Amino acid sequence: MTKRRPKGEGSVYRRKDGRVVGEYEDANGCKRYITSKTNTKTQMKALVRKALEDRDNGITHDSESLTVEKYLERWLKSTRDTVGLRTYQRSEETARLHITPTLGKVKLEKLTAMQLDGLYRKKLKVGLSPRSVQIIHATAHKALKQAVRWRLVRENVAEHATPPKTTKREMQPLTKDQTQILLRTAKRTQPKMYALYARAVTTGARLGELLALHRGDVDLDADTLRISKNVHNGRITAPKTSAGAGPSGCPSWRWTR
């Protein structure tokens, strides 16, 4: 005679479609299910044990029946004032244009790595570059990482998804002759912009950093230029990186006249 499991201990079984299911009761006595198409019964038993331990320790993972779309709206709202404008805009556009149309109606707690992989394949098929799909993956990963912190879901399924690989291309800087041609052409055709071109090719600073320069950032006696700000869409922020920072903590360059 098979020994009956104590009530509330949880159980594991395999469905006809091949999925392994873990079943247990949460702290409110409601049945909860964990499903997987890749985990073995042994692995599922470990997941159920972890769920029961969390329950007994008062740790809950309740997504409040949020869909992926509603969760992304909540996540984006929480990040608006904590990240740079450009970072926020890219995350918002990625969620709105790529993730939500395909996975927006999926319940957050039911989202799987397989569904994310399907999204990546779909985007590659319609012509997005591998790098663009990697950005989609990075956005999903970042959003789901916060969902884990908020204890809305148990794990970040994006960690098990596989974004496409890209071939790293080596940067090809302008040669000395090409740089001279560029500067001569700029001086002849766009004299008011010549200083911008000259600083761009001699410092490697970002466009937003160059556009944010003012007179106080240039020390003609010391032949140095200091990057202290960045501008994007009219918004002034700190420079993106402090690599090569000088004593003030801001990137700086020295040139030879």
Side-chain angles (χ1 to χ4, degrees):
M1 182 175 178
T2 303
K3 185 177 180 181
R4 186 178 180 84
R5 289 176 177 271
K7 185 177 181 181
E9 181 181 334
S11 60
V12 171
Y13 55 91
R14 187 180 297 276
R15 297 192 319 205
K16 291 182 179 179
D17 62 3
R19 288 183 180 273
V20 177
V21 180
E23 179 183 327
Y24 68 99
E25 288 186 1
D26 64 17
N28 298 316
C30 298
K31 283 189 177 181
R32 294 283 184 172
Y33 300 92
I34 308 172
T35 62
S36 173
K37 207 169 186 178
T38 58
N39 287 346
T40 64
K41 283 189 175 183
T42 299
Q43 292 170 327
M44 183 58 71
K45 287 177 182 177
L47 292 176
V48 171
R49 282 198 300 271
K50 180 64 169 62
L52 292 172
E53 288 174 7
D54 288 347
R55 179 199 65 187
D56 295 340
N57 291 326
I59 301 174
T60 60
H61 296 85
D62 187 359
S63 66
E64 305 169 4
S65 297
L66 281 172
T67 62
V68 170
E69 179 179 13
K70 292 300 181 183
Y71 170 69
L72 288 175
E73 290 175 359
R74 182 179 296 186
W75 171 69
L76 286 167
K77 185 177 180 180
S78 74
T79 66
R80 184 184 293 273
D81 298 321
T82 61
V83 299
L85 177 61
R86 195 167 185 177
T87 299
Y88 173 81
Q89 288 176 334
R90 184 164 66 176
S91 296
E92 190 278 330
E93 288 174 358
T94 300
R96 173 169 47 84
L97 298 177
H98 301 296
I99 301 176
T100 295
T102 301
L103 301 175
K105 302 305 180 185
V106 176
K107 291 292 181 62
L108 179 63
E109 62 184 8
K110 299 294 185 182
L111 183 65
T112 66
M114 187 181 297
Q115 289 172 311
L116 288 174
D117 284 340
L119 170 64
Y120 304 156
R121 289 194 301 272
K122 177 180 178 181
K123 292 301 176 179
L124 289 171
K125 191 173 181 179
V126 298
L128 260 66
S129 68
R131 176 56 186 155
S132 295
V133 177
Q134 284 184 340
I135 291 173
I136 296 173
H137 171 72
T139 302
H141 188 281
K142 187 161 50 175
L144 293 171
K145 186 176 182 180
Q146 185 60 56
V148 173
R149 289 197 190 104
W150 284 340
R151 292 182 176 174
L152 296 176
V153 294
R154 190 171 306 281
E155 65 174 341
N156 184 347
V157 295
E159 292 182 354
H160 306 295
T162 308
K165 294 182 179 180
T166 58
T167 303
K168 189 174 182 179
R169 294 183 297 178
E170 186 177 350
M171 184 180 294
Q172 298 294 327
L174 296 178
T175 65
K176 182 177 180 180
D177 289 341
Q178 290 172 331
T179 301
Q180 291 176 342
I181 292 172
L182 171 65
L183 292 178
R184 285 199 300 269
T185 303
K187 194 169 187 177
R188 185 180 72 253
T189 62
Q190 301 182 49
K192 292 183 178 180
M193 302 293 290
Y194 176 76
L196 178 65
Y197 284 103
R199 294 288 71 79
V201 298
T202 55
T203 66
R206 297 178 177 85
L207 178 60
E209 294 169 342
L210 293 170
L211 293 176
L213 287 173
H214 57 81
R215 180 64 184 82
D217 293 324
V218 180
D219 187 336
L220 296 178
D221 294 328
D223 288 344
T224 59
L225 180 148
R226 182 174 64 98
I227 299 295
S228 60
K229 297 181 180 64
N230 181 72
V231 63
H232 178 68
N233 286 349
R235 182 180 178 183
I236 303 294
T237 61
K240 188 172 183 179
T241 177
S242 58
S248 65
C250 298
S252 61
W253 286 268
R254 181 183 296 276
W255 70 86
T256 301
R257 286 189 279 187

